[in-house]
Amino acid sequence: MPRAGLAPAAVVAAGAALADEVGFANLSMGLVAERVGVRTPSLYKHVDSLEALRRGISIQARHELGDTLVRATVGRSGPDAVRAFADAYRRWVLDHPGRYAATVRAPDLDDEEDRRAGDEALRILLDVLAGFGSPGADAIDAARALRSALHGFASLESAGGFGLPRDVDRSYRFLVETLISGLGADRAGDGAGEA
Amino acid sequence: MPRAGLAPAAVVAAGAALADEVGFANLSMGLVAERVGVRTPSLYKHVDSLEALRRGISIQARHELGDTLVRATVGRSGPDAVRAFADAYRRWVLDHPGRYAATVRAPDLDDEEDRRAGDEALRILLDVLAGFGSPGADAIDAARALRSALHGFASLESAGGFGLPRDVDRSYRFLVETLISGLGADRAGDGAGEA
DNA sequence: AGCTTAAAGCTAACGCAAATAGCTAACCGG
DNA sequence: CCGGTTAGCTATTTGCGTTAGCTTTAAGCT
């Protein structure tokens, strides 16, 4: 029997591709094995378990998303950077639904690499928002607001949550502009800003 | 052997309670059976399958969330209604993480009841936003924006996605006020408003 | 080249959860 | 009191994750 010449990274990559096709939750060792041309138990020579494979996909996906976001926003600033960030974010999620589902899993706090991959997108976001004029607003709050909104929209859209025929692109643009407008406004004294 | 006096609704209710404890994804027929004091195969006299049980939990949870939101917002309007809606939403999600995960599943488009339960929250949201002065903004866009933001925040928080020690309540208030402020602003000509 | 050895692949088998089959006993209408 | 319906049971099947243990490949050393 000829060897497949497999490596852990190849298994993770195949798993990520498969997750985009069948859904992250439907990933199974059998499917991955078939995809890489090997019998199921052979996979255990490269990954410890299905759980470990999922974690590997999650970490890889977060890096890919991070790279995409950096590339999309480099050289831009202010509202323009936010728009570019938002567009790249949504595009990537739609193109990689399985990988995206993987990124959402709560990082294992005991796993250094896992935690760092999770912080990556947040750091990029803070850079994008740096110098964005929102008086009295903490940068962390702004980053969380933007991340929540984009994540919420993307995950609802990806899950088919928008039933109505209203144009979804348009709704997304509305969301992004609403946030940009809201982040730019001075709302001193509303109880969330200041101090 | 004495009978347990079970009914489909009781099984679904037990499943929902269990989902909040162990997570919607970790729900199993065995756990539910143990909870209601019956052997696993007996459950199939009341629900067709695990998948059907999940759907039942999902529908019930959506109704519960809808009721909660209606009760929280009745008698209020404008920004005040939005705040009440947002607070009730987050509170419910934190109190019922398993049920909330169930509500996020994409409704089965072939199932009338499932689809209607999914529309319920949206209708409430449209009522809350009715008459909210956002010139040039389509109500559907505004509803999607708010829903995305709240869902995104709640699901990230519920999944433990906010690693940093920054106060989460504060970030939530910031998000809600940002949206209210953004929705109230006139942004004619930004490409998303103005029909 | 030939020998040794780590590891990549295989088949076989186990454990667990979902689901089905078929039996038994409890309640409900007469 | 009696017959039918049905909730519950045990036993069994199927499918997937995982482990055990064997075989063969390929790489490294002399």
Side-chain angles (χ1 to χ4, degrees), chain B residues 9-10 19 28 117-118 146 182 189:
Chain B
S28 76
L146 196 48

Side-chain angles (χ1 to χ4, degrees), chain B residues 171-195:
Chain B
S171 293
Y172 193 67
R173 263 181 291 139
F174 178 85
L175 170 65
V176 173
E177 295 306 325
T178 297
L179 285 166
I180 289 173
S181 165
L183 287 175
D186 187 341
R187 297 199 318 281
D190 66 5
E194 230 55 11

Side-chain angles (χ1 to χ4, degrees), chain A:
Chain A
M1 68 200 85
R3 291 209 178 177
L6 232 42
V11 175
V12 171
L18 212 48
D20 287 335
E21 295 167 28
V22 305
F24 187 65
N26 296 108
L27 203 64
S28 75
M29 294 300 263
L31 282 173
V32 176
E34 187 183 10
R35 173 61 59 97
V36 300
V38 129
R39 301 290 186 148
T40 305
S42 306
L43 287 182
Y44 289 84
K45 291 290 157 79
H46 307 286
V47 293
D48 284 347
S49 66
L50 178 59
E51 210 21 59
L53 174 60
R54 290 211 171 104
R55 181 182 306 181
I57 293 172
S58 175
I59 293 172
Q60 184 199 290
R62 282 199 273 252
H63 282 132
E64 287 178 21
L65 175 57
D67 286 355
T68 301
L69 294 174
V70 167
R71 262 192 277 279
T73 54
V74 67
R76 298 173 192 266
S77 66
D80 217 41
V82 173
R83 286 188 195 97
F85 184 97
D87 288 349
Y89 192 94
R90 175 162 173 246
R91 174 86 273 131
W92 192 85
V93 173
L94 289 178
D95 288 343
H96 307 97
R99 285 168 161 92
Y100 185 65
T103 67
V104 176
R105 288 159 52 86
D108 183 347
L109 297 178
D110 298 337
D111 184 335
E112 177 65 22
E113 189 183 6
D114 199 348
R115 224 179 40 249
R116 257 184 312 162
D119 293 343
E120 196 174 316
L122 182 58
R123 274 200 308 278
I124 298 164
L125 195 41
L126 288 173
D127 286 346
V128 164
L129 289 168
F132 196 91
S134 26
D138 190 297
I140 298 272
D141 290 332
R144 283 180 175 168
L146 196 48
R147 179 151 107 95
S148 294
L150 301 191
H151 161 61
F153 193 99
S155 82
L156 287 175
E157 182 182 16
S158 176
F162 295 134
L164 282 77
R166 186 78 165 82
D167 181 28
V168 178
D169 283 13
R170 195 189 179 92
S171 292
Y172 193 65
R173 263 180 291 141
F174 179 85
L175 170 66
V176 174
E177 295 306 325
T178 297
L179 284 166
I180 289 174
S181 166
L183 287 175
D186 188 340
R187 296 198 319 283
D190 65 6
E194 245 35 16

Side-chain angles (χ1 to χ4, degrees), chain B:
Chain B
M1 66 198 81
R3 291 210 178 178
L6 232 42
V11 175
V12 170
L18 212 49
D20 286 335
E21 294 167 27
V22 304
F24 188 64
N26 296 106
L27 203 64
S28 76
M29 294 300 263
L31 282 173
V32 176
E34 188 183 9
R35 173 62 57 99
V36 300
V38 130
R39 301 290 187 148
T40 305
S42 307
L43 287 181
Y44 289 85
K45 291 289 157 79
H46 306 287
V47 293
D48 284 346
S49 66
L50 178 60
E51 207 26 55
L53 174 60
R54 289 210 171 105
R55 182 182 305 181
I57 293 172
S58 174
I59 292 172
Q60 184 199 289
R62 281 197 275 252
H63 282 131
E64 287 177 21
L65 175 57
D67 285 355
T68 301
L69 294 174
V70 167
R71 260 193 277 279
T73 55
V74 67
R76 299 174 192 264
S77 66
D80 217 41
V82 173
R83 286 188 196 98
F85 184 96
D87 288 349
Y89 192 94
R90 175 163 174 246
R91 176 84 273 132
W92 192 85
V93 173
L94 289 179
D95 288 344
H96 306 97
R99 285 168 161 92
Y100 185 65
T103 67
V104 177
R105 287 160 54 85
D108 183 346
L109 296 178
D110 297 338
D111 184 335
E112 176 66 23
E113 190 184 4
D114 199 348
R115 225 179 38 249
R116 257 184 312 162
D119 293 344
E120 196 174 316
L122 182 59
R123 274 200 309 277
I124 298 164
L125 195 40
L126 288 173
D127 286 347
V128 164
L129 289 169
F132 196 91
S134 26
D138 190 297
I140 299 272
D141 291 332
R144 282 180 175 167
L146 196 48
R147 178 150 107 95
S148 294
L150 301 192
H151 160 61
F153 194 99
S155 82
L156 287 174
E157 182 181 16
S158 176
F162 295 133
L164 283 75
R166 186 77 165 83
D167 180 28
V168 178
D169 282 13
R170 194 190 179 92
S171 293
Y172 193 67
R173 263 181 291 139
F174 178 85
L175 170 65
V176 173
E177 295 306 325
T178 297
L179 285 166
I180 289 173
S181 165
L183 287 175
D186 187 341
R187 297 199 318 281
D190 66 5
E194 230 55 11

